[in-house]
Amino acid sequence: MKIFLLFAFCCLVPVSSASPRRYEAIFNFGDSLSDTGNFLLSGALAYPVIGKLPYGETFFKHPTGRCSDGRLIIDFVAEAFRLPYLPPYLALSKGQTPRHGVNFAVSGATALDKEFFNEPKLRSLLWTNASLSVQIGWFKKLKSSLCTTKQDCDNYLKKSLFFVGEIGGNDYNYHAFVGENVVQLKASVPLVVEAITKAISMLIEEGAVELVVPGNLPVGCSAVCMTLFQSPNKADYDSRNGCLKAYNAFAKYHNNKLKDALQTLRLKHPHAKIIYADYYGAAMRFFHAPKTYGFTGGTLTACCGGGGPYNFNYSARCGHTGSKACGDPSTYANWDGIHLTEAAYRSIADGLINGGFLTPSL
Ligand SMILES: *[C@@H]1O[C@H](CO)[C@@H](O)[C@H](O)[C@H]1NC(C)=O
Ligand SMILES: *[C@@H]1O[C@H](CO)[C@@H](O)[C@H](O)[C@H]1NC(C)=O
């Protein structure tokens, strides 16, 4: 008993309790890959099922508004820096000062403002108007409650980590859903990248110094993409992972344009540390070697869905009648056809923090 107690006490003391926190706060902007509740709090009209189980069944044991079974990349990043999980901006009560950071991400959000989706077919698809610039506006509004004088703000924000993205994926998704092909999608890449770089510049003007800017995931490996764009032509699939080559090439195209733009920004703002987060590369590790990463259920088939070759059925999406979740989401990379499982997000976060998928590293 004594030995047990001693053991228990020794291990309750955090190893690095003597060292100061690396960051005071994390501020996050993005879409469903990092939304910890804003979309649900805003009503989630386009996707109410995220407000009920099986969403949230892992770890939290209840739905939180995260589009996954459990934690997201941003949750694992907060854990790694010993900060609390970021509260969603829309959950803050008046006068609350979340000194350790806030999450502004909204599921379905786009990098470009809603005016870019005015065409009726596109407009009806748009889940939210809370584009990246709207989220930055929320940050500016909140800033005065976080710090007061310019010097106070500069000191505080210098010690904060800013995550800008992943964002932009939905700008392309909406266009793809109305039937645009990969060649047509490429036309919007410069605009999307420009919206992201504008947001970064605005944050730097506000006092941000360390910024992480994630690229897009290998969308050609997602169950929704594999289902909607399945092809009878074997040559359309990558023999190394079974994914759709054209859509992964498109994700890489966006990522390369984004990396080029970040390089230009670094020259413009030499005092800032602008870090590219390679979500694509970190995720590709498990698409190439699923079993090595524990994904014995597979990486291309969704854990939760209503049938079909990749368990994605638009009329029986995860959470709707006719769908069901797999027994053990930790053995699947894909959660609901569109989003990844906690296990997959954990693996990507580990790739960022320990695996060399941040350039430059933190
Ligand atoms: C977006 O804004 C328009 C008004 O500009 C509004 O009619 C629409 O309902 C909003 N959409 C969402 C999803 O909030
Ligand atoms: C998709 O879901 C609908 C509605 O539940 C069902 O009728 C249909 O059989 C499903 N399709 C497949 C391929 O499982």
Side-chain angles (χ1 to χ4, degrees), residues 23-30 34 74 77-78 83-84 86-87 89 92 97-105 132 135-136 138-140 142-147 153 156-165 203 206-214:
Y23 298 106
E24 279 289 309
I26 300 175
F27 296 99
N28 182 74
F29 306 84
S34 63
I74 194 70
V77 169
L83 288 167
L86 306 187
Y89 173 73
L92 299 177
T97 49
R99 287 281 303 181
H100 294 308
V102 178
N103 193 348
F104 301 95
L132 185 53
Q135 295 176 28
I136 302 276
W138 290 347
F139 169 74
K140 287 190 183 171
L142 185 74
K143 193 180 147 190
S144 60
S145 70
L146 294 167
C147 55
C153 288
Y156 170 64
L157 297 179
K158 201 170 66 190
K159 285 184 279 179
S160 300
L161 185 62
F162 288 79
F163 254 77
V164 189
L203 288 171
E206 292 294 323
V209 175
E210 268 195 72
L211 304 102
V212 175
V213 187

Side-chain angles (χ1 to χ4, degrees), residues 12-28:
L12 281 175
V13 180
V15 198
S16 44
S17 63
S19 63
R21 273 212 176 93
R22 169 78 190 269
Y23 298 106
E24 279 289 309
I26 300 175
F27 296 99
N28 182 74

Side-chain angles (χ1 to χ4, degrees), residues 53-67:
L53 291 168
Y55 282 88
E57 67 172 12
T58 307
F59 190 75
F60 297 104
K61 309 290 180 197
H62 62 89
T64 61
R66 287 169 176 78
C67 291

Side-chain angles (χ1 to χ4, degrees), residues 8-336:
F9 276 112
C10 91
C11 302
L12 281 175
V13 180
V15 198
S16 44
S17 63
S19 63
R21 273 212 176 93
R22 169 78 190 269
Y23 298 106
E24 279 289 309
I26 300 175
F27 296 99
N28 182 74
F29 306 84
D31 56 26
S32 57
L33 293 192
S34 63
D35 179 4
T36 53
N38 286 314
F39 185 58
L40 185 60
L41 286 161
S42 69
L45 294 179
Y47 219 87
V49 289
I50 62 165
K52 56 178 210 170
L53 291 168
Y55 282 88
E57 67 172 12
T58 307
F59 190 75
F60 297 104
K61 309 290 180 197
H62 62 89
T64 61
R66 287 169 176 78
C67 291
S68 184
D69 59 311
R71 287 165 286 182
L72 311 177
I73 297 168
I74 194 70
D75 295 312
F76 290 111
V77 169
E79 281 182 16
F81 293 111
R82 294 183 294 124
L83 288 167
Y85 299 129
L86 306 187
Y89 173 73
L90 297 178
L92 299 177
S93 46
K94 244 194 145 93
Q96 197 182 342
T97 49
R99 287 281 303 181
H100 294 308
V102 178
N103 193 348
F104 301 95
V106 183
S107 301
T110 48
L112 292 166
D113 291 331
K114 68 173 196 288
E115 289 71 27
F116 284 86
F117 304 90
N118 265 343
E119 193 194 313
K121 263 202 304 193
L122 280 171
R123 198 190 314 154
S124 65
L125 283 174
L126 205 62
W127 282 18
T128 174
N129 291 332
S131 61
L132 185 53
S133 77
V134 170
Q135 295 176 28
I136 302 276
W138 290 347
F139 169 74
K140 287 190 183 171
K141 225 169 97 185
L142 185 74
K143 193 180 147 190
S144 60
S145 70
L146 294 167
C147 55
T148 47
T149 64
K150 169 142 176 40
Q151 193 186 7
D152 178 31
C153 288
D154 284 351
N155 274 334
Y156 170 64
L157 297 179
K158 201 170 66 190
K159 285 184 279 179
S160 300
L161 185 62
F162 288 79
F163 254 77
V164 189
E166 178 281 327
I167 186 86
N170 288 322
D171 297 66
Y172 307 129
N173 290 341
Y174 293 130
H175 281 280
F177 290 154
V178 298
E180 285 191 19
N181 62 32
V182 168
V183 176
Q184 292 166 312
L185 289 182
K186 277 189 177 172
S188 42
V189 172
L191 287 172
V192 168
V193 168
E194 193 191 326
I196 299 172
T197 55
K198 251 171 83 180
I200 296 167
S201 293
M202 281 168 86
L203 288 171
I204 292 174
E205 261 169 55
E206 292 294 323
V209 175
E210 268 195 72
L211 304 102
V212 175
V213 187
N216 212 338
L217 286 166
V219 286
C221 302
S222 77
V224 56
C225 187
M226 300 276 292
T227 303
L228 293 181
F229 307 113
Q230 55 187 294
S231 159
N233 189 354
K234 248 185 111 173
D236 289 340
Y237 294 90
D238 188 330
S239 59
R240 295 167 300 173
N241 46 43
C243 306
L244 281 169
K245 282 198 283 198
Y247 289 88
N248 276 349
F250 176 74
K252 274 189 173 161
Y253 180 82
H254 162 87
N255 291 346
N256 286 332
K257 295 286 177 207
L258 178 62
K259 282 192 274 186
D260 289 347
L262 296 185
Q263 191 46 35
T264 307
L265 271 179
R266 288 182 189 114
L267 300 174
K268 233 167 98 185
H269 306 282
H271 79 285
K273 186 170 179 184
I274 302 171
I275 298 161
Y276 175 70
D278 183 9
Y279 282 15
Y280 186 103
M284 203 36 102
R285 297 181 304 171
F286 57 70
F287 285 114
H288 278 161
K291 300 222 160 65
T292 309
Y293 292 86
F295 296 119
T296 49
T299 44
L300 304 180
T301 303
C303 163
C304 182
Y310 304 99
N311 197 25
F312 180 83
N313 178 349
Y314 190 81
S315 17
R317 285 165 290 156
C318 179
H320 292 267
T321 312
S323 76
K324 69 175 199 295
C326 62
D328 184 1
S330 74
T331 61
Y332 284 75
N334 194 302
W335 167 241
D336 60 3

